[in-house]
Amino acid sequence: MADAIEIQGLTKRFKNPLGGPITAVDNLTLSVKSGEIFGFLGPNGAGKTTTIKILLGLLFPTDGKATVLGKPPGDIDIKNKISYLPESPYFYEHMTARELLGFYADLFKIKGVERKNRIDNLLDQVGLTQAADKPLRQYSKGMLQRAGLAQALLNDPELVFLDEPTSGLDPIAHADICNVILDLKTQGKTVFVSSHQLSDIEMIGDRVAILVGGKLAMVGEVKELLATDQIEVTASDVSDEIGKNIEPLADEFELHAGKMTAFVKGTDSLNKVVGMLVNSGASILTVNPRRRTLEKLFVDTVRGGR
Amino acid sequence: MAIWTIAKTTVGEAMRKKVLNVCLIVALAMIVLSLSFTQLGFRQDMTVVKALGLFVIMLAGFIISVLMSISLIPTEIERRTIYTILSKPVSRVEFLLGKYLGGIITLFINIALMGTVFIVTVAIKAKLTAVQLGSIHGMQVGEEVIKPQLFDPSLALGVVLIYLQFVVLAAVVMLFSTFLTPTVNFFASSAFYVVGSAANVWRTMYMNEKASVFVKVFYWFISTFVANFDRYSVQNKLIHPEEVASMPAYVAAILAYSILYCILTMLVAVLCFYRKEV
């Protein structure tokens, strides 16, 4: 599948009147495949928003290059196929959501019946139909985020940039926005999402990149990055004697009131543990590959990168 | 298309700015209050009403023009509304020209409103004076004296010329806003206007044979590159039209100068904004 975004050796330095230049993005190289949800992670100040702004043509790189849908950032033709939801979006407060979408539809040159239908459908999709004719100054943060998402979907984009799309939202709005992102993937769209909500990315992301201090610390498929070679075995009615026999075979072992949790590595150890449990009459509850959380991976990566 | 869309939104935003609305209301009140000048003779009273009205429109036009234009681009960047606009199929040139067009339309609405109130005020003043003169010299005499004052087209022309000079100033402020902070821009634009309003003084100094080369180069630079706002000072010419040989030719020359100056200024603004990081 073709790459939606290609970044090679991208570097961005900002002038600093009080000292030397500040490097926000440092020799970043990565690619985003078409049709995937790509999580762009990193602590505050890691260079995520700077990278997105370079990809949108709002900032210019100091060094390196990037292409978006095969064209340089800022290309007018490409802007018809991409969209952007900034972090904590601000819009013209005197407008209603319907007028706001009308304004952006005009910028996309979407006219007539198509304009009206798209606006109505999007207001419905993001749950703003009831509030569509209220001025945006009366909107809550969650409602503004929904309006922002609607403007980002107005042109039926091939590639969507979302910067912190779920930050500060209530659980309902949060779930709704995650569902919209998953819908985009179903429709074959590429979603480039920067977020601190790691559980969201773990749930919906195909691949992630972790940026630390402007440098790429890690990139890969979520499944692969979170997978380990350990297998978690849980059982009940485990006697202390069997527990003592199993403990040396496990990397991590815990036995309390007959309930056991053991993490073992390799099929030999697993077979021995399962055999001992079956022969002793214990009940095996689960046998699952152990999976790290994205949060753990993120924390380890960021701390390791510092 | 994008230019017009951005311009319409700019007008909507600018017309809701409280500071500009307060300025407009104060100016309108001052124009109307000029009716209270009744201590002098008929001609002097009319002159005061006209001169004060034009001065108030010019002062308010200057304040509105500068305060509005300095924030058109920086506010979009500060509030991050520019991100969602420039990530749409809108070029930076269209964005800048759309903001400028919206700015000068807002300026037009404000100055047209002040101009209308001004012309109506002058007509009311003339009518009131006619009644006063009529009570002394008879109604026929009063009507004849004030007839030319009831609607004086040269006053409308004066308002148009005031508008034109602030269209030029707005272009300069927009140019400055592509590389200066709003506060610095305010002082730079104000200084530019003051220097431009004294253009004929600079020209006279430049023409002086005794001036040094340094002075000549300095004044040549100012009189060449700084907009000549002195050209638009038509109060005396309007109040004493006999001083101008051909008013249509004079106005046509100012119009041509304004258009050319705006085009060149916005061209430089586009070049500055083209690689501006937002």
Side-chain angles (χ1 to χ4, degrees):
Chain A
M1 204 175 278
D3 289 338
I5 299 171
E6 278 191 61
I7 300 172
Q8 286 186 338
L10 196 73
T11 299
K12 179 63 187 176
R13 290 188 200 94
F14 290 106
K15 286 176 189 165
N16 176 19
L18 302 175
I22 295 168
T23 304
V25 181
D26 193 357
N27 198 25
L28 176 67
T29 297
L30 63 85
S31 60
V32 177
K33 293 171 190 155
S34 289
E36 71 178 358
I37 297 176
F38 190 88
F40 198 49
L41 313 177
N44 292 331
K48 305 185 296 293
T49 301
T50 301
T51 305
I52 291 176
K53 285 166 80 175
I54 291 172
L55 295 174
L56 292 166
L58 300 171
L59 294 176
F60 303 99
T62 310
D63 204 0
K65 63 176 183 178
T67 58
V68 177
L69 300 176
K71 294 271 182 76
D75 184 282
I76 291 286
D77 291 338
I78 292 304
K79 285 182 182 180
N80 273 308
K81 300 175 184 173
I82 66 171
S83 67
Y84 175 46
L85 170 64
E87 183 181 359
S88 304
Y90 180 95
F91 302 111
Y92 299 116
E93 287 184 337
H94 68 273
M95 287 184 173
T96 65
R98 196 183 298 282
E99 287 168 346
L100 181 81
L101 294 182
F103 166 67
Y104 288 115
D106 288 343
L107 295 181
F108 279 117
K109 299 180 178 67
I110 303 168
K111 293 175 186 170
V113 179
E114 189 190 2
R115 181 182 191 271
K116 186 186 178 305
N117 289 343
R118 274 204 206 181
I119 290 172
D120 288 344
N121 290 341
L122 279 169
L123 287 169
D124 183 46
Q125 192 179 347
V126 300
L128 283 180
T129 304
Q130 296 294 320
D133 298 309
K134 272 188 187 174
L136 294 175
R137 78 173 75 87
Q138 295 177 12
Y139 275 30
S140 66
K141 186 178 181 184
M143 290 165 85
L144 280 175
Q145 199 78 358
R146 286 168 189 263
L149 191 62
Q151 65 81 30
L153 303 178
L154 194 62
N155 58 326
D156 191 21
E158 287 179 29
L159 169 59
V160 187
F161 291 92
L162 304 174
D163 197 352
E164 297 291 349
T166 55
S167 78
L169 299 185
D170 65 59
I172 304 292
H174 191 129
D176 285 349
I177 287 184
C178 286
N179 286 336
V180 171
I181 295 172
L182 285 170
D183 283 349
L184 290 171
K185 181 178 164 59
T186 311
Q187 294 164 32
K189 317 287 187 193
T190 310
V191 183
F192 188 92
V193 53
S194 161
S195 180
H196 288 303
Q197 304 292 324
L198 301 177
S199 56
D200 291 348
I201 301 298
E202 187 175 333
M203 186 175 67
I204 64 175
D206 295 312
R207 290 199 309 139
V208 292
I210 299 177
L211 219 56
V212 181
K215 290 182 179 171
L216 184 66
M218 184 175 286
V219 63
E221 292 201 10
V222 175
K223 280 180 192 168
E224 287 177 7
L225 292 174
L226 300 186
T228 66
D229 52 0
Q230 289 179 327
I231 295 163
E232 181 186 29
V233 180
T234 60
S236 61
D237 305 325
V238 180
S239 66
D240 289 347
E241 192 183 335
I242 292 296
K244 279 179 189 167
N245 292 335
I246 290 174
E247 193 169 1
L249 297 169
D251 290 352
E252 290 173 48
F253 179 82
E254 191 179 304
L255 179 61
H256 182 70
K259 288 195 173 176
M260 181 205 80
T261 303
F263 293 99
V264 295
K265 210 180 278 180
T267 45
D268 283 352
S269 300
L270 176 65
N271 289 339
K272 283 178 187 170
V273 169
V274 170
M276 283 183 211
L277 290 169
V278 170
N279 292 336
S280 70
S283 303
I284 298 174
L285 300 175
T286 60
V287 178
N288 283 320
R290 188 182 192 184
R291 204 164 182 265
R292 277 190 289 186
T293 62
L294 188 55
E295 189 173 340
K296 176 95 169 71
L297 176 74
F298 179 83
V299 171
D300 290 347
T301 306
V302 171
R303 286 193 175 146
R306 278 177 179 159
Chain B
M1 179 68 179
I3 293 176
W4 180 239
T5 303
I6 292 166
K8 280 191 295 182
T9 311
T10 304
V11 173
E13 277 281 286
M15 292 304 289
R16 286 172 173 80
K17 284 200 169 175
K18 285 177 186 162
V19 64
L20 301 185
N21 292 342
V22 167
C23 184
L24 177 68
I25 290 165
V26 170
L28 292 174
M30 285 178 75
I31 292 167
V32 174
L33 285 174
S34 68
L35 281 172
S36 60
F37 282 102
T38 54
Q39 301 302 313
L40 307 168
F42 157 66
R43 290 192 188 284
Q44 290 91 331
D45 278 356
M46 287 305 292
T47 304
V48 167
V49 170
K50 286 179 186 178
L52 184 70
L54 287 171
F55 174 74
V56 167
I57 294 172
M58 204 169 75
L59 187 65
F62 169 77
I63 294 170
I64 292 171
S65 170
V66 173
L67 288 186
M68 177 192 60
S69 306
I70 55 173
S71 62
L72 287 179
I73 301 291
T75 304
E76 294 276 348
I77 295 171
E78 189 188 321
R79 292 177 174 178
R80 292 178 287 179
T81 40
I82 196 170
Y83 297 166
T84 49
I85 295 174
L86 287 186
S87 59
K88 305 282 184 284
V90 176
S91 70
R92 286 168 177 248
V93 177
E94 288 173 316
F95 178 76
L96 193 72
L97 295 182
K99 297 304 288 182
Y100 178 61
L101 181 61
I104 61 175
I105 291 172
T106 307
L107 199 56
F108 175 81
I109 294 168
N110 280 276
I111 290 184
L113 198 57
M114 287 188 283
T116 306
V117 171
F118 168 58
I119 288 166
V120 170
T121 302
V122 170
I124 292 171
K125 180 70 182 173
K127 201 76 182 168
L128 291 173
T129 308
V131 174
Q132 282 178 341
L133 286 175
S135 65
I136 301 167
H137 306 290
M139 281 308 291
Q140 200 178 346
V141 175
E143 290 289 341
E144 278 174 16
V145 171
I146 59 89
K147 204 172 180 183
Q149 309 288 344
L150 272 177
F151 177 70
D152 184 356
S154 64
L155 293 181
L157 185 63
V159 175
V160 170
L161 292 178
I162 288 173
Y163 172 65
L164 280 181
Q165 74 172 311
F166 293 124
V167 167
V168 172
L169 183 63
V172 173
V173 180
M174 287 286 285
L175 165 62
F176 287 171
S177 75
T178 62
F179 55 87
L180 293 179
T181 62
T183 311
V184 176
N185 190 356
F186 176 79
F187 290 109
S189 304
S190 302
F192 186 92
Y193 183 70
V194 171
V195 169
S197 297
N200 283 348
V201 176
W202 310 131
R203 192 169 293 277
T204 307
M205 293 174 85
Y206 165 63
M207 300 294 278
N208 186 350
E209 288 176 5
K210 290 179 183 172
S212 69
V213 175
F214 174 76
V215 170
K216 276 184 173 279
V217 169
F218 178 72
Y219 292 129
W220 170 83
F221 180 83
I222 286 180
S223 58
T224 305
F225 292 104
V226 177
N228 186 346
F229 292 113
D230 204 26
R231 283 169 184 253
Y232 302 86
S233 300
V234 290
Q235 284 181 347
N236 288 336
K237 297 180 184 78
L238 290 170
I239 295 162
H240 306 288
E242 63 280 2
E243 289 179 9
V244 184
S246 167
M247 189 56 91
Y250 181 78
V251 173
I254 291 180
L255 185 64
Y257 175 82
S258 306
I259 292 170
L260 188 66
Y261 201 92
C262 287
I263 289 173
L264 291 175
T265 306
M266 289 309 293
L267 201 63
V268 179
V270 164
L271 291 174
C272 292
F273 191 63
Y274 195 71
R275 293 289 292 180
K276 184 176 174 66
E277 300 203 303
V278 295

